[in-house]
Amino acid sequence: NAGVTQTPKFQVLKTGQSMTLQCAQDMNHEYMSWYRQDPGMGLRLIHYSVGAGITDQGEVPNGYNVSRSTTEDFPLRLLSAAPSQTSVYFCASSSQTSGRAHPHEQFFGPGTRLTVL
Amino acid sequence: DAKTTQPPSMDCAEGRAANLPCNHSTISGNEYVYWYRQIHSQGPQYIIHGLKNNETNEMASLIITEDRKSSTLILPHATLRDTAVYYCIVRVARPSGSARQLTFGSGTQLTVLP
């Protein structure tokens, strides 16, 4: 298993540009989420999904959209990038029914480092 | 979720045991204690979890006090690669929806010294 993969690893945007951060997992996990981490701070939840076709907002959803058309993919869209969205973005997945992992163990991707100028 | 308190930083000599404390005095009876770590620039990594009893796996041991108000993560033989921020998180047993998010506080920066 590749686990949770994220692309791109690095991205620089200009203010006002839009882009999509990709996240995929091959563990058949129902639950996927997006966090952002600002320097010296903990992770904050942006959006999450409990299954294909179902998404909901987290703690800091403004400026971001998500969709979940398949179990495997959970892209995060920045509609109009702002310097305040400069951050490291992590995607995570977990399963309530995973045979090996504790149901609350979350698997994180390697992150996307985004800079908005 | 119960709030946790951790020291901001700790040092440990390579090869020695690293003992990372966590206070969670408001923990409820159905809440688990989880530990994650984040090595610089990487995504967080699950380490271990427990409810009441002490737990051990290939990475670490978790000691939970009898009153469950505090716990200690033990890395028995710390290596330089264990340098990371360690997060103690308290969670209900089977959360749903947004409650499934992990609330990361500031954690403890563990530095393993050569």
Side-chain angles (χ1 to χ4, degrees):
Chain A
N1 287 349
V4 180
T5 58
Q6 292 184 238
T7 56
K9 285 188 170 58
F10 302 92
Q11 183 69 50
V12 178
L13 293 178
K14 295 181 180 178
T15 297
Q17 287 185 314
S18 62
M19 80 158 295
T20 300
L21 308 185
Q22 301 292 344
C23 174
Q25 52 90 11
D26 60 358
M27 297 173 283
N28 202 31
H29 285 172
E30 305 94 355
Y31 185 78
M32 296 185 74
S33 54
W34 277 101
Y35 294 85
R36 61 176 287 175
Q37 185 174 34
D38 300 323
M41 296 181 65
L43 283 75
R44 293 184 292 170
L45 183 70
I46 304 171
H47 284 285
Y48 67 97
S49 169
V50 300
I54 305 169
T55 64
D56 208 342
Q57 297 180 350
E59 180 184 357
V60 288
N62 292 341
Y64 307 94
N65 273 357
V66 292
S67 60
R68 185 93 179 273
S69 57
T70 67
T71 299
E72 294 78 19
D73 301 300
F74 190 44
L76 177 72
R77 283 184 289 278
L78 279 70
L79 308 173
S80 177
S84 61
Q85 294 178 304
T86 294
S87 190
V88 181
Y89 292 84
F90 291 101
C91 179
S93 74
S94 66
S95 173
Q96 191 74 18
T97 58
S98 172
R100 289 195 327 179
H102 189 272
H104 310 147
E105 177 183 349
Q106 290 203 17
F107 296 82
F108 285 82
T112 293
R113 284 143 189 82
L114 176 68
T115 301
V116 183
L117 303 175
Chain B
D1 294 346
K3 182 178 178 180
T4 62
T5 304
Q6 300 177 252
S9 63
M10 295 181 64
D11 292 341
C12 176
E14 188 177 20
R16 304 296 294 269
N19 297 281
L20 292 94
C22 179
N23 286 323
H24 31 79
S25 59
T26 59
I27 192 170
S28 299
N30 64 346
E31 289 182 314
Y32 283 77
V33 179
Y34 294 84
W35 284 83
Y36 280 72
R37 74 179 182 182
Q38 187 173 24
I39 296 171
H40 181 64
S41 299
Q42 298 182 20
Q45 176 190 24
Y46 164 84
I47 301 173
I48 198 168
H49 73 277
L51 182 63
K52 296 181 186 178
N53 302 318
N54 298 338
E55 302 288 345
T56 296
N57 63 19
E58 64 277 6
M59 290 182 67
S61 295
L62 174 60
I63 308 298
I64 302 174
T65 59
E66 190 169 348
D67 63 7
R68 303 210 321 124
K69 294 183 184 299
S70 65
S71 60
T72 300
L73 178 74
I74 301 172
L75 308 179
H77 305 286
T79 71
L80 298 179
R81 288 177 293 181
D82 291 322
T83 293
V85 178
Y86 287 77
Y87 296 98
C88 171
I89 300 167
V90 175
R91 291 283 306 281
V92 296
R94 291 198 175 271
S96 60
S98 65
R100 297 192 74 170
Q101 71 162 322
L102 293 171
T103 301
F104 290 83
S106 301
T108 296
Q109 171 66 59
L110 174 69
T111 301
V112 181
L113 303 171

